[in-house]
Amino acid sequence: YIILLTTFWIANCEEEYCSVDSTAACGEKKECNIQYKKVLNEQYTKYYNAIEEAENNYYNTCNNNNNDCYNNIILRDLKPFKEEGINKDLISIAKNRGTFYQIIDGKLYRQKECMFPSRCAGIEHFILKLAPRLPDMDLVINVRDYPQSSKHFGSPLPIFSFSKTRQYYDITYPAWSFWEGGPAISLYPRGLGRWDEHRRSLDKASNNTVWERKENKAFFRGSRTSAERDNLVLLSRKRPELVDARYTKNQAWKSDEDTLYAPPASEVPLEAHCNYKYLFNYRGVAASFRHKHLFLCRSLVFHVGDEWTEFYYDAMLPWLHYIPVPKDADQTVLESLIQFVIHNDKLSKTIADRGRDFIWNNLRMADIEQFWEKLLKKYSELLTYKATLDKHLIKINRTEKS
């Protein structure tokens, strides 16, 4: 038998959570939390408890107007080098695992070859802006998908990577795809890129499809880069009224076997994702480039797995900004979570609004530049030698696009 319990939990606030877009109705200094009625059954109790615990323990310290939202990430990543510093020998070893850069006299230089030119260009867009006010330094920046300095093999190496797990020493930097060099598909043949433009287009799409008009089901489109996605696709075939999840082609596609024995689905523009209340985010080879985009739909994001992170992930909290999903979740767990958010529409909208507001307020292009500047200045303080220009490098100049 399912035991039904009815309880009430009233937050210490007269108002519900207020989106940044409705601050006039909130009052300037009031904290707006949730006031909602819990109708529990045994299946959902753990979800309510997790949300209540997250709300009770949360205080909004992440306000990037003060340029301090991600300080802890910089301190964490640089900590392994704090005691002994970064000497020239470490840089020499690291060079084999990334692209070598120098900042000398306010100018940016790079080794001639770059494995992924558009990715290097996406990084250089930000560093070129900052170089005139940065000290001289040597940098090794990894533009591969995978981090390079494993905690299981050798000492820490000062290598910058866009994504990592806790098993790596790499220093996290904002991905190249904030400007260019993101994944290229038929809808975005030149790569995802231009986060500033996507912010505007997704904000417009979300305003055009308010919560009440969104389709009341979960949605996912993407290629089969990981078997972690299979259970959601299979659940979609079993329960299409709950989930619309299908595989698209990628460059490795050879047959329907690569799309779980079904014809590949068409790719869907990011803006069209905003038509659905619930959006699933899965990692790719490393962290997913679509992660930040999904939140701007003002849809509730299901974030699968917690291993692979980008620099801003740790400032977002599970059950408060998104619904966390175990990477090995089977169809039963997935169905339970989706049913839970459908049956708690008001609560789901609150979490969706919180997630959107976090990204909108704290992941602006200015925030990316601020992070780069603070990271590189802190990093330069750890160098134990004076960087001098390597004459084999090429000077990087700003382009019209930059």
Side-chain angles (χ1 to χ4, degrees), residues 91-98 140 144 148:
I91 294 293
S92 295
I93 298 170
K95 280 183 183 180
N96 295 323
R97 307 191 191 182
V140 178
R144 300 179 180 92
Q148 299 295 309

Side-chain angles (χ1 to χ4, degrees), residues 52-276:
E52 186 169 343
E53 182 179 0
E55 289 168 344
N56 288 340
N57 293 333
Y58 176 67
Y59 57 99
N60 188 14
T61 58
C62 189
N63 177 0
N64 222 37
N65 289 327
N66 300 322
N67 194 17
D68 60 4
C69 199
Y70 312 114
N71 281 350
N72 61 320
I73 303 302
I74 295 173
L75 296 175
R76 178 202 70 188
D77 286 355
L78 295 179
K79 185 177 180 181
F81 308 100
K82 188 173 182 179
E83 188 172 331
E84 297 183 7
I86 298 170
N87 58 44
K88 203 161 189 174
D89 289 340
L90 283 178
I91 294 293
S92 295
I93 298 170
K95 280 183 183 180
N96 295 323
R97 307 191 191 182
T99 303
F100 182 57
Y101 285 89
Q102 288 188 311
I103 298 173
I104 305 291
D105 294 332
K107 298 177 178 62
L108 180 63
Y109 300 86
R110 191 197 75 212
Q111 67 182 62
K112 186 175 181 181
E113 301 81 13
C114 173
M115 181 178 292
F116 299 103
S118 62
R119 295 184 179 190
C120 285
I123 292 164
E124 291 157 9
H125 166 77
F126 293 100
I127 302 181
L128 279 168
K129 284 186 175 182
L130 301 171
R133 56 181 187 266
L134 291 174
D136 294 352
M137 68 184 82
D138 293 342
L139 296 161
V140 178
I141 302 181
N142 169 36
V143 293
R144 300 179 180 92
D145 290 330
Y146 219 73
Q148 299 295 309
S149 183
S150 171
K151 292 182 178 180
H152 300 293
F153 302 100
S155 302
L157 291 174
I159 302 172
F160 290 76
S161 292
F162 94 95
S163 174
K164 69 175 184 177
T165 72
R166 295 177 183 88
Q167 307 307 311
Y168 290 87
Y169 289 116
D170 297 52
I171 302 164
T172 316
Y173 70 86
W176 50 83
S177 61
F178 279 100
W179 186 252
E180 68 175 283
I185 60 176
S186 62
L187 295 173
Y188 308 104
R190 300 182 65 180
L192 200 54
R194 291 307 300 261
W195 172 235
D196 54 339
E197 294 179 355
H198 282 299
R199 276 174 58 92
R200 290 191 292 270
S201 66
L202 285 166
D203 188 55
K204 181 179 179 180
S206 70
N207 282 320
N208 289 339
T209 312
V210 297
W211 180 265
E212 291 74 19
R213 294 206 304 267
K214 292 178 184 284
E215 195 160 349
N216 197 26
K217 63 169 64 175
F219 183 78
F220 172 79
R221 283 293 184 278
S223 61
R224 196 182 179 215
T225 54
S226 168
E228 292 175 11
R229 308 173 176 194
D230 286 356
N231 278 325
L232 186 70
V233 172
L234 293 172
L235 178 62
S236 175
R237 297 174 187 178
K238 186 191 303 182
R239 298 293 306 274
E241 76 282 6
L242 292 180
V243 194
D244 180 353
R246 297 174 63 190
Y247 281 134
T248 59
K249 282 185 179 181
N250 62 16
Q251 294 176 339
W253 186 89
K254 295 178 181 178
S255 69
D256 288 348
E257 181 180 356
D258 296 319
T259 45
L260 214 58
Y261 302 99
S266 299
E267 292 162 343
V268 175
L270 287 167
E271 291 78 10
H273 285 60
C274 299
N275 294 328
Y276 296 85

Side-chain angles (χ1 to χ4, degrees), residues 4 7 22 41 100 179 184 326 350 360:
L4 293 178
T7 65
S22 58
N41 62 33
F100 182 57
W179 186 252
T350 294
W360 185 256

